Structure formats: C-alpha cells, structure tokens
C-alpha cells in the first residue's frame, strides 16, 4: 500500500512540476528546488520526490546528477512524443503555435498512412474506419452526442490500417493533440455534418482501394485545419 501511495504522490508531483517547467516557472537558469525543498513544499517523502524526478527525467524535462543537483533541461531536449509532455504544452500559453507544428507533422504522416491503408489495409481494418465515419455522422445529426471519440477513432483506425507499425505507435501522440486541435477546427467549419462527410470521402477512397485519392483527401482535410489555426494565430497577434 505504501508503494502505491508513494507512486500516486509522485505522479501528482510529476504532473505539477511538469506543467510548471513547460509554463516557464522553472528554467535551466533558475533551476528546480532541492529535494529537501520539494519534500517540504509537497509534504511528501524523499522516496516520492525521487520517483517524480525519475519520471520527469525520462520525459527529458530535467536531469539529476551527483553533486550537481536537479537541472532543468532546455526545451530542445524535451520528449515531445510523450503524451504528458505534449498535453502540458497544449495546456500552456502558446498552444496554437504547438498545434501548428503538430499539423505540419500530421501532413507528413497521415496522408501517407491513408494511402497505405487503401493499399494494404484488410477488409476488417477498413470496416473500422467506416464505423468511425458512421459514428461521426450520428453525432453530427444529434446535438446530444459528441463527435470527439468517433473523430479520434477515425484517425487512429487509419494509422492501424496502414499496416505500418511506426505510424500506429504514434496513435497516442496524435490522439492527445487531436483532442485539442478538434476544439479549434471543428467549430470553425460551422457544420458537423460537413466535417463528417469530408472524413467520409477519405474512407470511400480507402474502401475503393484508391491510394492517391485517399492521400489527397487527407492532405486537403489537414491543410484546411492548418488554415483555421493560422487564422487564429493571426487574430491572436
């Protein structure tokens, strides 16, 4: 039980310190409080603090060396593929700029994943993509149903259907950022059914085994989202 309690405390401290580092409250110049100070501030044991330090170090946010103490790492060393790090970044101030970078990455990956899904996806893989589209259409027709989960399922199903293991392992990363991105881009389009139908065009191309069309349709979808995000960045100054 003590081990579980320590782990839960460590996770809480990891979460709070991670957010604080990414928000700029701690920096490479200012550093982090000492172990003793963290124990006092959070009212936890050194064991729990050390667990939190290990977790943050694994995410690239800090390093801990003998006689040097705990050091905050520069942003270039952060593991952006870690879903906690990405979520903390999206929760911090410049989330629109982070979303723009995320969309640039999606443009490099998802159109190719859609093309591969059309070429190599099994009938069962493609059926799951179709189910996600149907879920989006049901949500679009019913204001009491959120489209969010079906939208995420659509994109992760395509990653799986690509039959590229490297692409599929990005599913948690893409789902985390999509959860925030959708909040900006879906309302901007103004019509949930149009959003669902645009996703349906990608599904149809994959179903008909048309790799180039699937690639182009996915490129169009993400490029349109990029236009919305860039407009928001411009409005924000």
């Amino acid at each position: 039980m003590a081990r579980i309690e320590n782990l839960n405390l460590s996770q809480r401290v990891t979460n709070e310190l991670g957010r604080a580092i990414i928000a700029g409250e701690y920096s490479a110049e200012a550093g982090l409080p000492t172990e003793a100070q963290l124990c006092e501030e959070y009212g936890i044991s050194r064991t729990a603090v050390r667990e939190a330090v290990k977790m943050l170090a694994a995410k690239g946010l800090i390093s801990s060396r003998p006689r040097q103490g705990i050091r905050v790492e520069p942003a270039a060393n952060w593991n952006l593929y870690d879903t906690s790090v990405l979520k903390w970044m999206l929760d911090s101030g410049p989330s629109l700029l982070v979303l723009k970078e995320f969309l640039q990455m999606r443009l490099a990956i998802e159109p190719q994943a859609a093309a591969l899904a059309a070429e190599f996806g099994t009938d069962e893989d493609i059926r799951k993509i179709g189910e996600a589209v149907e879920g989006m259409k049901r949500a679009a027709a019913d204001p009491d149903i959120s489209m969010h989960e079906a939208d995420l399922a659509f994109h992760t199903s395509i990653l799986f259907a690509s039959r590229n293991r490297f692409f599929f392992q990005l599913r948690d990363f893409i789902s985390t950022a999509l959860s925030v991105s959708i909040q900006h881009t879906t309302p901007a389009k103004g019509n949930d059914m149009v959003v669902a139908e645009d996703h349906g065009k990608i599904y149809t191309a994959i179903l008909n085994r048309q790799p180039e069309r699937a690639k182009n349709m996915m490129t169009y979808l993400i490029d349109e989202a990029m236009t919305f995000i860039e407009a928001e960045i411009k409005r924000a100054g």
Side-chain angles (χ1 to χ4, degrees), residues 11-180:
Q11 287 171 334
R12 179 173 65 84
V13 175
T14 300
N15 195 52
E16 291 184 23
L17 285 177
R19 288 179 186 278
I21 290 167
I22 285 172
E25 293 174 31
Y26 300 111
S27 65
E29 294 73 30
L32 276 179
T34 64
E35 269 189 15
Q37 289 170 327
L38 289 171
C39 289
E40 185 174 346
E41 182 178 345
Y42 290 99
I44 61 175
S45 67
R46 280 184 181 267
T47 302
V49 167
R50 285 170 184 164
E51 287 286 345
V53 166
K54 283 180 187 175
M55 285 190 258
L56 288 170
K59 298 175 189 298
L61 269 62
I62 64 172
S63 57
S64 180
R65 297 183 180 87
R67 295 185 296 278
Q68 290 184 13
I70 304 169
R71 177 173 173 268
V72 176
E73 289 292 312
N77 292 346
W78 298 347
N79 179 8
L80 304 185
Y81 293 103
D82 184 292
T83 54
S84 295
V85 174
L86 179 62
K87 189 171 188 309
W88 296 332
M89 289 180 72
L90 292 170
D91 288 344
S92 68
S95 61
L96 287 173
L97 295 175
V98 176
L99 283 176
K100 181 177 177 178
E101 287 185 277
F102 166 65
L103 286 167
Q104 289 168 341
M105 181 181 172
R106 285 183 63 201
L107 274 170
I109 291 170
E110 289 195 72
Q112 183 62 29
L116 291 173
E119 192 168 358
F120 300 114
T122 66
D123 290 345
E124 176 64 14
D125 293 340
I126 295 171
R127 186 182 65 78
K128 287 180 180 176
I129 299 170
E131 284 179 354
V133 171
E134 287 307 310
M136 291 182 72
K137 288 180 178 177
R138 281 194 300 274
D142 186 343
D144 293 328
I145 302 176
S146 169
M147 191 187 286
H148 185 84
E149 289 303 320
D151 200 343
L152 293 182
F154 173 83
H155 291 279
T156 54
S157 295
I158 288 177
L159 291 175
F160 184 78
S162 75
R163 291 290 156 175
N164 182 305
R165 291 172 295 172
F166 294 95
F167 283 179
F168 186 56
Q169 289 214 0
L170 290 170
R171 65 192 181 281
D172 291 339
F173 167 79
I174 283 180
S175 292
T176 299
L178 262 176
S179 295
V180 178

